[in-house]
């Protein structure tokens, strides 16, 4: 049976390869184009598709639209700082009059538009990933204190989750109207990334996660429900059936193994060769790991290149992946 695979270059590798800071790939059009031009020889050498120019990946436009401050380190991932410092502040949360008015949103919209003017192969209308799931959004807005709120003050926890859910849908609707000339959101496959959801144990998952995920999928007119969540455990798996999830990505969770997913996951799932595997294992060990993962029949096996010094390992993995895909 054929085993599909997915390969990508990490943004940190592409920036380093071009001699560009990761921060500049969020704000500088010339830097962005240099990064994507510089990766083309690597892609051709490996025989993979050349990535299309776009702004660097950014998971926080929704919380930025709500007023959350963000810091961009020179060569690290963006950091969001909480807006909510006491549970009582939840009572006074209000949605913005204009979801696209935040200066950072306006800046990214402008850069995205200019990229398409400069390069016809650029990804249009991309200013970042659409949303974070409601639990992750609540943690971004309130910090780690949210994780005890369902126990300490369940009414306010629901109030915040309701705000996170409704505002996410309203943000996406506003962005869609802006980018597509007021056209309505059409039904289609939709995904939610909600890594912090697994921090809520199964005993309260049905109350504090399931209804909000359902509302987002329904609000996005999902014909297929895709989920990226890094901290779920085996006892969470039955909820995926209840939610009618069609595809599950456990991301970099080392405890949710392919064997566990084959045994307990009620839907198609992704497995990954992790960055630490590529760092620590020999090419031969990586090939054996890939074959072992394939025995669990994941829908796709994903791996990425995040260090130029792993070029030969990546070549060996790609060769095996192509053979097994046939």
């Amino acid at each position: 049976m054929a085993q599909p695979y997915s390969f990508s270059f990490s943004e940190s590798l592409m920036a380093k390869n071009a001699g560009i800071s990761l921060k500049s790939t969020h704000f500088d059009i010339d830097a962005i184009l240099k990064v994507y031009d510089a990766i083309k020889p690597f892609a051709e050498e490996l025989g993979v598709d050349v990535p299309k120019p776009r702004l660097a990946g950014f998971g926080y436009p929704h919380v930025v639209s709500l007023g959350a401050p963000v810091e961009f380190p020179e060569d690290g991932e963006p950091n969001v700082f909480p807006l909510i410092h006491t549970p009582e502040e939840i009572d006074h949360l209000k949605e913005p009059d204009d979801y696209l008015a935040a200066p950072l949103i306006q800046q990214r919209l402008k850069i995205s538009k200019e990229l398409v003017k400069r390069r016809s192969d650029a990804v249009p209308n991309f200013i970042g990933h659409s949303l974070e799931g409601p639990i992750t959004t609540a943690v971004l807005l309130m910090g780690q204190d949210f994780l005890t709120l369902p126990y300490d003050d369940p009414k306010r926890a629901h109030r915040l989750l309701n705000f996170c859910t409704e505002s996410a849908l309203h943000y996406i609707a506003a962005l869609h109207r802006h980018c597509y000339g007021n056209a309505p959101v059409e039904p289609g496959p939709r995904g939610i990334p909600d890594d912090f959801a697994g921090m809520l144990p199964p005993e309260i998952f049905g109350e504090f996660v399931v209804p909000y995920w359902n509302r987002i999928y329904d609000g996005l007119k999902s014909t297929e429900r895709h989920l990226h969540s890094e901290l779920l455990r085996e006892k969470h798996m039955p909820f995926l059936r209840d939610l009618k999830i069609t595809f599950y990505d456990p991301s970099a969770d080392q405890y949710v193994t392919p064997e566990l997913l084959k045994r307990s996951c009620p839907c198609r799932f992704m497995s990954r060769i992790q960055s630490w595997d590529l760092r620590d294992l020999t090419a031969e060990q990586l090939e054996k790991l890939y074959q072992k993962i394939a025995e669990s029949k994941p829908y796709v096996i994903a791996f990425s290149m995040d260090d130029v010094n792993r070029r030969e390992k990546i070549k060996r993995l790609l060769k095996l992946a192509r053979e097994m895909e046939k």
Side-chain angles (χ1 to χ4, degrees), residues 51-297:
K52 295 182 178 181
R54 68 170 199 180
L55 279 157
F58 182 58
Y60 310 129
H62 167 220
V63 295
V64 167
S65 76
L66 299 174
V70 181
E71 177 187 74
F72 289 84
E74 284 299 317
D75 286 300
E77 294 300 317
N79 299 312
V80 177
F81 296 94
L83 273 179
I84 302 167
H85 303 286
T86 66
E88 291 74 20
E89 293 177 30
I90 294 170
D91 302 340
H92 305 292
L93 287 172
K94 292 182 180 179
E95 295 188 47
D97 294 330
D98 180 358
Y99 273 93
L100 306 183
L104 181 57
I105 300 290
Q106 286 293 311
Q107 185 180 20
R108 292 179 76 84
L109 285 169
K110 182 179 179 180
I111 294 171
S112 178
K113 186 177 181 179
E114 183 62 27
L115 269 175
V116 174
K117 288 182 180 179
R118 295 268 298 269
R119 286 280 290 269
S120 61
D121 60 335
V123 178
N125 300 317
F126 181 82
I127 66 168
H129 306 296
S130 298
L131 54 80
E132 294 287 340
I135 306 302
T136 300
T137 301
V139 173
L140 290 171
L141 292 178
M142 190 175 179
Q144 299 292 324
D145 288 347
F146 172 76
L147 297 173
T148 60
L149 198 65
Y151 304 98
D152 300 336
D153 195 340
K155 287 185 178 180
R156 281 199 170 101
H158 279 299
R159 191 173 297 159
L160 178 53
L161 289 170
N162 182 70
F163 176 82
C164 292
T165 301
E166 292 301 307
S167 63
L169 292 172
H170 294 158
Y171 161 73
I172 290 173
L175 182 64
H176 192 85
R177 288 193 300 269
H178 175 87
C179 293
Y180 299 102
N182 289 319
V185 176
E186 297 293 334
R190 300 286 186 266
I192 296 176
D194 205 345
D195 282 332
F196 278 106
M199 296 293 288
L200 300 187
E203 293 75 21
I204 64 172
F205 199 89
E207 178 183 353
F208 288 96
V209 179
V210 170
Y212 300 102
W213 280 2
N214 267 325
R215 282 166 58 186
I216 286 187
Y217 283 122
D218 288 344
L220 295 176
K221 301 180 182 179
S222 304
T223 56
E224 290 186 11
R225 295 181 167 196
H226 299 179
L227 175 67
H228 169 113
S229 193
E230 189 168 291
L231 299 173
L232 298 186
R233 294 293 175 259
E234 189 165 13
K235 289 184 178 180
H236 289 107
M237 292 296 114
F239 291 108
L240 303 189
R241 180 180 291 107
D242 298 341
L243 284 156
K244 298 182 174 60
I245 302 297
T246 52
F247 177 77
Y248 172 52
D249 171 20
S251 188
D253 191 328
Q254 60 184 313
Y255 300 106
V256 180
T257 64
E259 293 82 6
L260 182 154
L261 291 169
K262 181 182 180 182
R263 178 175 67 244
S264 299
C265 185
C267 61
R268 298 176 298 166
F269 61 89
M270 173 187 284
S271 288
R272 296 176 184 265
I273 301 288
Q274 304 292 356
S275 60
W276 57 82
D277 295 324
L278 285 160
R279 180 194 65 208
D280 297 337
L281 301 182
T282 65
E284 292 79 7
Q285 289 171 326
L286 285 167
E287 289 172 334
K288 290 180 181 178
L289 175 62
Y290 192 97
Q291 292 168 327
K292 179 67 175 176
I293 291 173
E295 291 175 4
S296 295
K297 296 179 170 54

